[in-house]
Amino acid sequence: MTPPSRTRAPRHTLSHEVIVERALAVLDDRGPDGLTMRALAADLGVGPMALYTYFRSKDELLDAVRDQVLRGLADAQADGDWADRLRGIGTNLYRLLVAHPTLIHLFATRPLAGHEAAEATEAQLAALRDAGFDRVTAARAHLTLLHHALGAATWE
């Protein structure tokens, strides 16, 4: 008896963006432990090795998911005075974390590296410096605001 065949994705439908989008959906549905390269590949209708064409490891994929979600966070509230900008960045981060609770786990367990995280950090630091904080105090306030958003979203 021959084993049942799997439904395969049509050729040339896999891309970096498609994988990241589906990985985020899997993380939202199943949590961080539910995302494996094998499970993601099955959801996409490809073999696991096809994912390694785009990402060297699961860690690299998780970083890409984090970066995709953070993309544009700093630009979302670029206008207004320093208080408006801080409020906008914090509110947008909170909304992202509530919409994708797995990000809380990613932020807590993985370093916030990457261009997108740096842009969001720089935007918040710039608003704090515009408010008159010195560099050290602005850095401390940034971490306090980040932890506040993470904590508030966790309670939600």
Side-chain angles (χ1 to χ4, degrees), residues 10-70:
R11 287 191 173 278
H12 308 296
T13 57
L14 199 60
S15 68
H16 184 273
E17 293 78 21
V18 167
I19 295 168
V20 168
E21 183 179 305
R22 187 64 200 142
L24 179 59
V26 169
L27 285 167
D28 286 344
D29 292 344
R30 302 179 203 159
D33 294 333
L35 179 68
T36 64
M37 296 301 259
R38 186 175 304 277
L40 180 59
D43 281 0
L44 289 166
V46 299
M49 293 311 292
L51 300 179
Y52 290 102
T53 302
Y54 297 90
F55 300 96
R56 291 178 289 205
S57 66
K58 180 180 171 183
D59 288 338
E60 190 174 291
L61 173 60
L62 290 172
D63 290 344
V65 169
R66 179 205 56 224
D67 291 347
Q68 174 63 31
V69 174
L70 287 177

Side-chain angles (χ1 to χ4, degrees), residues 139-152:
R140 287 182 180 149
H142 159 71
L143 290 175
T144 300
L145 292 169
L146 175 63
H147 292 149
H148 177 74
L150 286 167

